[in-house]
Amino acid sequence: MRGGGLLKASSPPRSPPPSTSSPKQQQRQRNSIAMAASPAGAPQAGKPLVVVGSVNADFVLSVDRLPLPGETVSASTMDLFPGGKGANQAAAAARLGHPTRFIGQCGEDANAAFMRQSLADSTVDCAFLRQVPGCATGSAYIFLQPSGENSIVILGGANQSQWDVSEAHAEAIRGAGAVLLQREIPESVNLRVARVAREGGVPVILDAGGVDAPFANEGELVRFVTVLSPNETELARITGLPTETEDEMLRAAASLLDLMAPGGRVLIKLGARGSMLIWKKKEEGGAHGGDGGNSGDAKYCGLRQAPVAVANVVDTTGAGDCFTAAFAVGTVKGWGEGECLRFASLAASKCIQQKGAMVSLPWLKDMEADNDEAESAKATPFSF
């Protein structure tokens, strides 16, 4: 994608202007494969996506490089942006045109109003964004290097305070087309939400980012997840297995699939190297139409998605959240898995061309522009 994809800072605050799909986009939509029923239930395009997760005010410090132990370096600028993995993913899904409800917690400070307004500006339903008395809103301190790579330190604040998953929350979860979770809130909350969703036949998508630790209770949460999405570092962390090579990543993903319920998928985000979606071969034709490889005695199938090229990477902070949210939108709409991967790859390529997490997320109108590179970056099947 070269030129024409950069979001402007003056993007409309409440809702994007009406857009008209190009003929190529219309054809892609017509060719999307309807999702077949899975053990978690089939997503329904008319139902909202419910995101349960964190809210953070992101303080971004631009540095030439990270300091060595005992060293002090200077930052050239510091900017404040709305963020948090939960809030970012809710905003991304809403901007990409799907009704999105957010369940989260903020504090009693100026950042709370800032975050609520930022979500509302992205058209997210914030009725379940709770203000926690006597608590600060979560925050993140992001060290951004000229290459666009970042390192992040999180202060949980209200995200880690006492949560109450009420009956009103449970009703919203049961009425969702899918539920999207991350790991910047207590795992007990994610487990409670995932149980409610699974009992209601609602697919659960879990982004593995947010906690520098494996899953608790021998991976109990994973058993309720339909799609588990780590990057390669997170994959190593949650499995305890090496992930330096593709073969090692595939073995680690297979170990997670052995814990997940039938129909489970592992979606590995690889940054500039694209992504991979993996599932058990005996379940081919399951959740999204089974576009994967089908050779020999292989036990697992997958799709390998190339990234959409960009001319200039500015900031990768929100790219993973954007990717996962876009994949979730495609899932709820019932698209084929290859289509979900291409859509997610294109969305992430738009996101990394602007500084900040939530403010860089693309609107649907940005996605509908003709893009030959995105069209050619089709997922390829494999098996192992």
Side-chain angles (χ1 to χ4, degrees):
M1 179 180 56
R2 305 188 186 281
L6 186 64
L7 279 176
K8 297 184 173 65
S10 59
S11 294
R14 283 288 174 183
S15 60
S19 59
T20 302
S21 298
S22 68
K24 187 177 292 184
Q25 178 71 13
Q26 292 169 7
Q27 185 63 44
R28 291 173 68 211
Q29 301 255 0
R30 284 195 295 269
N31 289 341
S32 295
I33 303 171
M35 180 181 293
S38 73
Q44 297 186 31
K47 292 188 175 184
L49 177 68
V50 171
V51 181
V52 184
S54 57
V55 171
N56 287 330
D58 287 352
F59 295 87
V60 180
L61 292 92
S62 297
V63 296
D64 289 334
R65 59 178 176 81
L66 297 178
L68 298 172
E71 182 184 27
T72 299
V73 299
S74 297
S76 57
T77 62
M78 186 181 79
D79 298 296
L80 174 62
F81 295 108
K85 293 189 71 66
N88 287 342
Q89 291 178 18
R95 287 182 177 215
L96 291 172
H98 197 83
T100 304
R101 308 185 76 178
F102 181 66
I103 299 175
Q105 298 191 154
C106 57
E108 286 188 323
D109 53 17
N111 287 335
F114 169 64
M115 289 303 307
R116 186 180 294 274
Q117 187 60 55
S118 297
L119 284 165
D121 287 348
S122 292
T123 74
V124 176
D125 181 342
C126 297
F128 289 122
L129 177 55
R130 172 175 172 252
Q131 198 163 22
V132 181
C135 198
T137 300
S139 53
Y141 300 87
I142 301 168
F143 301 91
L144 177 64
Q145 299 179 71
S147 65
E149 292 298 317
N150 62 76
S151 300
I152 305 173
V153 178
I154 298 289
L155 182 63
N159 297 314
Q160 295 294 326
S161 184
Q162 181 66 40
W163 281 66
D164 175 26
V165 181
S166 67
E167 180 53 36
H169 293 142
E171 184 178 349
I173 291 163
R174 287 190 289 263
V179 171
L180 180 53
L181 305 172
Q182 320 78 36
R183 302 188 71 203
E184 286 183 347
I185 62 175
E187 188 157 328
S188 59
V189 178
N190 278 338
L191 181 58
R192 166 69 173 145
V193 171
R195 284 182 181 274
V196 171
R198 182 60 81 154
E199 290 166 1
V202 178
V204 177
I205 301 170
L206 172 63
D207 187 304
V211 172
D212 186 12
F215 291 108
N217 301 320
E218 299 182 344
E220 182 181 9
L221 174 59
V222 176
R223 298 183 177 93
F224 296 92
V225 173
T226 312
V227 179
L228 176 58
S229 181
N231 62 29
E232 58 193 299
T233 302
E234 294 156 357
L235 180 61
R237 184 182 302 147
I238 62 181
T239 62
L241 298 172
T243 59
E244 292 183 3
T245 68
E246 182 171 305
D247 285 345
E248 289 176 340
M249 284 189 280
L250 293 175
R251 284 193 289 270
S255 73
L256 291 172
L257 289 169
D258 290 341
L259 293 176
M260 298 171 73
R265 264 63 173 155
V266 175
L267 174 60
I268 308 174
K269 299 182 287 280
L270 299 172
R273 291 176 290 146
S275 60
M276 292 190 295
L277 182 69
I278 303 126
W279 64 92
K280 286 188 176 181
K281 180 180 176 182
K282 64 183 179 181
E283 295 155 5
E284 67 181 59
H288 300 252
D291 326 47
N294 184 28
S295 65
D297 297 325
K299 185 178 179 181
Y300 301 95
C301 294
L303 289 171
R304 188 179 286 105
Q305 174 66 50
V308 176
V310 299
N312 184 36
V313 176
V314 176
D315 184 0
T316 62
T317 302
D321 293 333
C322 183
F323 183 95
T324 306
F327 186 89
V329 168
T331 296
V332 176
K333 292 183 180 300
W335 295 351
E337 288 176 319
E339 185 71 11
C340 290
L341 286 170
R342 287 191 293 276
F343 187 71
S345 184
L346 177 59
S349 75
K350 301 279 187 180
C351 173
I352 60 177
Q353 296 183 76
Q354 182 171 324
K355 193 174 181 180
M358 191 181 298
V359 296
S360 69
L361 300 170
W363 292 93
L364 184 59
K365 66 181 178 64
D366 301 306
M367 302 285 288
E368 291 177 340
D370 282 345
N371 192 293
D372 292 337
E373 288 180 342
E375 287 297 315
S376 64
K378 293 184 178 181
T380 57
F382 65 94
S383 58
F384 65 102

